[in-house]
Amino acid sequence: MVRFILGLAASQVHLRVAYEERVMAHTQAAIVGAALSDCGRVDTLSPFELHHQAAVRALADAGLTKADVDGFASCGMGVLAPIEVAEYLGLRPTWVDSTTVGGSAWEVMLEHAVEAICCGTANTVLLAYGSTARADVKRGLRTANLALSNRGPSQFDVPWGHTLIARYAMTARRHMYEFGSTIEQFAQIAVDTRYNAGFNPEAFYREPIALEDVMAAPMVADPFTKLHCCPRTDGGGAIVVTSLERARDLPKLPVTVLGTGSASNMTTMSEWEDFTRSPAEVSGRLAFERAGLTPEDVDVCQFYDAFTSMVVLTFEALGFCGRGEGGDYLQGGTMRLGGRMPTNTDGGGLSACHPGMRGIFLLIEGTRQLRGEASERQVSDARICCVNGTGGWFSSAGTVILGRE
């Protein structure tokens, strides 16, 4: 009897593995549309209009219409997000997501969308974003600094005046203390990202900068000067995701979602055990394992870079280099177009566009690179792209591995 039960259990495991392999083989998901709204300085449009612009353009890019969309994901605005945005877009989705985990929300929501498509609870999912962060500050509608809650865990940080920038500056200072990295190494990230932006006509800043410019810029939060920090812009973007089987009948080259992973960390700085470790250590491991790939297989990267320290910790967390080796790894133009690991090829959040939650822009640029649509900034024969979004102050991470068929 025991032998029978064990045999039955083994048989069930075998059948489940076989089933999952069949499901993944036939219902893998792919990005089939990707587009930006107007970006940079947008004083005449509302966030709803930017959502609409991006969504319409992404659907047109995919060769689809609103009637094809049964899933919608968005966050960051509206009392009933994403219901209000879906209503504005004229959608009545039967699958919705508004996961709000900061800038990594778009990578996490993409993971959810892929799961929905593979399970059959959604067929075509639209992810859209729009923000007038720069215009709002200009009009006095919001403050330039992130306002922290005086309730819940954040209440214990508020009395000490920690701003978002200060939290990231602390990660840089700790990395310098622990591993001997230098502020010049962090500054070089801003220089190399601006170099990439010079090839992107849509970038907010395109003028070249030198290491001396970053070092001499006004101090914002020690050790960060202004050029270690992203600008505040307006803008939006959208992507369309469907099954790979359906994607092959659409006009554009499908970009397959090969693997995803997500992880949470903390919101209270006192609960963060090590300021030099990103939750991307967890999300990256999951994404690479699920994709069956390693960092050595990657041709191009798109990493969240609101501040230069994010880039160093992300490269280390994902295994492109060892712990504490990020500063050295990024020397010599590693991130530049033509470098050994082109990263943030559109100019990133540091130079191209940062309206508040940049994760959607990483996916759009990754899609363009794998399709061969990046014009002067195109990475030659790019087949695998690693995308990593960071939320809050390393409070969350979402990693996506994209591939070209």
Side-chain angles (χ1 to χ4, degrees):
M1 183 65 176
V2 173
R3 185 179 302 170
F4 171 76
I5 293 173
L6 291 175
L8 180 61
S11 176
Q12 289 175 333
V13 170
H14 175 75
L15 288 172
R16 177 165 180 77
V17 169
Y19 170 75
E20 289 178 349
E21 288 176 349
R22 276 202 315 277
V23 168
M24 289 306 295
H26 295 288
T27 58
Q28 226 176 337
I31 298 174
V32 295
L36 299 173
S37 71
D38 293 350
C39 290
R41 295 175 175 84
V42 185
D43 292 319
T44 59
L45 299 178
S46 72
F48 281 98
E49 289 172 301
L50 293 180
H51 275 86
H52 185 268
Q53 266 193 352
V56 168
R57 292 172 183 178
L59 286 169
D61 184 60
L64 298 171
T65 69
K66 290 190 293 184
D68 296 300
V69 176
D70 62 350
F72 181 66
S74 185
C75 67
M77 65 175 298
V79 176
L80 295 175
I83 308 304
E84 288 186 335
V85 179
E87 179 182 351
Y88 185 86
L89 298 179
L91 300 174
R92 294 295 184 270
T94 56
W95 181 94
V96 294
D97 189 8
S98 60
T99 299
T100 306
V101 289
S104 64
W106 308 100
E107 286 67 39
V108 174
M109 288 193 289
L110 175 59
E111 180 175 66
H112 298 169
V114 169
E115 291 170 351
I117 290 166
C118 290
C119 290
T121 56
N123 295 308
T124 301
V125 180
L126 171 68
L127 287 77
Y129 176 60
S131 168
T132 52
R134 184 204 63 87
D136 289 350
V137 170
K138 182 179 178 181
R139 297 178 186 130
L141 299 178
R142 66 167 87 180
T143 62
N145 291 321
L146 179 69
L148 300 176
S149 170
N150 59 4
R151 298 182 296 176
S154 295
Q155 67 180 299
F156 300 109
D157 282 349
V158 169
W160 310 105
H162 294 317
T163 62
L164 178 65
I165 296 173
R167 293 162 189 256
Y168 277 99
M170 290 167 71
T171 68
R173 180 61 72 188
R174 188 67 192 181
H175 198 279
M176 293 163 65
Y177 174 81
E178 290 280 351
F179 304 113
S181 52
T182 67
I183 192 58
E184 288 81 6
Q185 289 175 326
F186 287 100
Q188 191 63 47
I189 294 168
V191 174
D192 291 346
T193 307
R194 181 65 65 86
Y195 173 85
N196 291 346
F199 296 90
N200 179 11
E202 298 176 300
F204 194 72
Y205 291 124
R206 300 185 65 195
E207 303 80 7
I209 56 174
L211 190 64
E212 295 74 20
D213 297 320
V214 183
M215 301 297 291
M219 182 63 68
V220 177
D222 183 66
F224 284 166
T225 65
K226 180 179 179 180
L227 291 178
H228 284 272
C229 312
C230 66
R232 184 179 290 264
T233 72
D234 306 313
I239 61 171
V240 182
V241 190
T242 191
S243 69
L244 182 56
E245 183 177 10
R246 186 182 188 197
R248 290 177 176 137
D249 295 327
L250 297 176
K252 291 292 186 75
L253 180 73
V255 172
T256 309
V257 182
L258 300 176
T260 63
S262 59
S264 64
N265 192 15
M266 51 73 232
T267 59
T268 311
M269 296 297 281
S270 61
E271 298 303 306
W272 192 5
E273 295 178 356
D274 189 337
F275 286 9
T276 68
R277 304 189 85 114
S278 165
E281 288 184 6
V282 177
S283 62
R285 174 179 54 79
L286 292 172
F288 277 114
E289 285 179 356
R290 291 164 180 170
L293 298 171
T294 70
E296 286 71 30
D297 298 305
V298 174
D299 301 305
V300 59
C301 294
Q302 310 298 334
F303 294 162
Y304 207 120
D305 64 335
F307 307 97
T308 55
S309 62
M310 297 173 77
V311 180
V312 172
L313 267 64
T314 299
F315 269 110
E316 293 180 3
L318 295 178
F320 286 87
C321 58
R323 286 240 312 136
E325 298 174 359
D328 291 334
Y329 175 78
L330 295 176
Q331 291 297 289
T334 295
M335 295 174 54
R336 291 191 178 204
L337 293 165
R340 60 172 167 166
M341 187 51 65
T343 301
N344 296 342
T345 47
D346 63 344
L350 289 169
S351 290
C353 181
H354 197 294
M357 291 191 289
R358 182 171 160 76
I360 192 76
F361 300 96
L362 309 177
L363 296 167
I364 293 169
E365 179 65 11
T367 298
R368 288 177 168 177
Q369 285 289 340
L370 295 185
R371 284 176 169 180
E373 296 177 345
S375 190
E376 293 183 36
R377 63 182 188 277
Q378 180 64 51
V379 175
S380 178
D381 197 33
R383 304 190 70 84
I384 302 294
C385 177
C386 178
V387 174
N388 190 83
T390 302
W393 31 96
F394 291 104
S395 303
S396 68
T399 309
V400 178
I401 311 299
L402 300 175
R404 186 183 81 198
E405 283 199 294

